[in-house]
Amino acid sequence: MRSHRRDRAAVSPLVSALAAGLIVAACASNATLVPGGGVNVGEASALRNLVPAQQLNEAADKQYGELLAKAQQAGLLAQPTDRQVKRLRAIHARLLPNVGRFNAASPQWGWQVNLIKSDQINAFCMPGGKIAFYSGILDKLKLTDDEVAVVMGHEIAHALREHGREQIAKNGLTQVGSEAAAAVIGGTAGALVKQGAGLLSLKFSRDDETDADLVGLELTARGGYDPRAGVSLWKKMAAASGGAPMEWMSTHPSSTTRIAEIERNLPAVLPLYEEAKRSAKTGNARRNPPSGPAAVPAPKV
């Protein structure tokens, strides 16, 4: 027992100093405009570097696989032929080309999108790009494709900005001497897997939620979906908040302030949406040239 207390006493100053240095570094980062236009976001928190990304992604992959296996066994996992699964994956395919703008490693993640049959109004994206929607959020809120893109973009943004790594680091730094702190300091695989078991219950800060809202809006716009759907989505969420069950709302606080923040940032992303629409039309025109008789060349003068 004495040696354990001495170890804790020795580790505590080390962790405190390390945390203080990382917090200063994180706060010193200036918000910068993403090259090529878009939302104004700063660097991701330096605290996330305390948690090895690869091991956390592996833990998330393990938990995601277990969740899908349970859903499959219960007959609740929608199959690839399901209309809503096809819809979700088509929307994801349009958002995916732009994830590298916010996380250089993300294009190489093993992205997955699945649908679980449940009345829960819920959706998530775990570290490493593991996405799941619950049918309740689609059916109860009658989401349009644009609104689905906003939800998906928001959840993807949490993964891209590595809010899970950041939150686990914060949690570990408040539990010096515990196994959670050991995961933060040493990055042992076993401890991280245990941390991963609670990934779905992580609560993000208000700043993280705003970060995800804004990055999600940009992903939505660059994918050719209307970012103004962010406003209609949160109005639907607010209207449904008196119903049940509202897992997504419980960890994603909605307010008039949040909607106002989205509206304030729409001018930064609407041009991206318009450009994406123009590019899509040009691409379609090239792939599908007009049918009919060939045009008659104008007479030479």
Side-chain angles (χ1 to χ4, degrees), residues 2-301:
R2 288 181 183 175
S3 63
H4 177 73
R5 283 196 294 270
R6 283 198 300 270
D7 290 343
R8 175 177 290 192
V11 169
S12 182
L14 171 64
V15 174
S16 298
L18 183 58
L22 286 170
I23 289 171
V24 169
C27 293
S29 298
N30 294 321
T32 56
L33 210 61
V34 176
V39 296
N40 193 343
V41 292
E43 298 294 329
S45 171
L47 285 174
R48 75 192 194 285
N49 295 321
L50 289 172
V51 179
Q54 181 177 349
Q55 289 179 316
L56 183 60
N57 289 354
E58 289 172 356
D61 185 63
K62 181 176 182 292
Q63 183 184 355
Y64 186 76
E66 291 171 350
L67 177 67
L68 295 187
K70 289 179 181 178
Q72 178 70 45
Q73 188 175 15
L76 299 177
L77 183 65
Q79 298 306 302
T81 54
D82 184 277
R83 178 182 63 85
Q84 292 283 37
V85 173
K86 291 181 178 179
R87 178 191 183 203
L88 290 173
R89 292 179 178 177
I91 291 171
H92 177 255
R94 287 171 55 175
L95 303 187
L96 189 59
N98 296 294
V99 297
R101 300 179 66 83
F102 298 97
N103 187 309
S106 62
Q108 283 72 51
W109 289 349
W111 290 90
Q112 292 187 47
V113 183
N114 284 285
L115 176 67
I116 296 173
K117 300 174 184 177
S118 168
D119 286 340
Q120 289 187 40
I121 296 180
N122 198 11
F124 63 81
C125 179
M126 298 178 73
K130 302 301 186 287
I131 301 169
F133 271 65
Y134 290 78
S135 56
I137 197 169
L138 302 175
D139 300 336
K140 291 181 178 292
L141 300 187
K142 302 186 185 307
L143 297 184
T144 65
D145 285 357
D146 293 322
E147 290 165 344
V148 171
V150 171
V151 173
M152 190 178 292
H154 174 99
E155 294 303 327
I156 287 175
H158 277 307
L160 296 179
R161 301 287 285 175
E162 300 184 290
H163 292 153
R165 286 177 74 194
E166 175 188 353
Q167 192 58 50
I168 289 174
K170 289 177 180 177
N171 292 348
L173 290 171
T174 62
Q175 302 176 51
V176 177
S178 70
E179 190 172 35
V184 173
I185 299 167
T188 61
L192 278 174
V193 169
K194 291 182 180 179
Q195 283 285 328
L199 283 172
L200 290 179
S201 63
L202 286 176
K203 300 295 189 292
F204 299 124
S205 69
R206 184 175 295 276
D207 286 344
D208 287 345
E209 291 297 335
T210 299
D211 199 21
D213 279 346
L214 299 185
V215 171
L217 282 183
E218 178 163 338
L219 290 173
T220 299
R222 289 187 182 277
Y225 294 101
D226 193 338
R228 288 169 293 196
V231 174
S232 60
L233 168 69
W234 285 106
K235 287 181 178 178
K236 286 184 177 182
M237 286 286 185
S241 61
M246 288 294 289
E247 289 296 323
W248 207 68
M249 282 286 285
S250 70
T251 54
H252 298 69
S254 178
S255 66
T256 53
T257 301
R258 185 171 206 160
I259 292 175
E261 183 69 12
I262 290 174
E263 291 177 328
R264 190 175 70 83
N265 283 273
L266 284 176
V269 294
L270 282 172
L272 303 176
Y273 168 55
E274 296 299 334
E275 176 59 30
K277 286 198 301 180
R278 284 193 295 270
S279 296
K281 287 181 180 178
T282 302
N284 288 335
R286 288 173 179 169
R287 288 190 297 272
N288 303 297
S291 59
V296 177
K300 295 181 179 180
V301 177

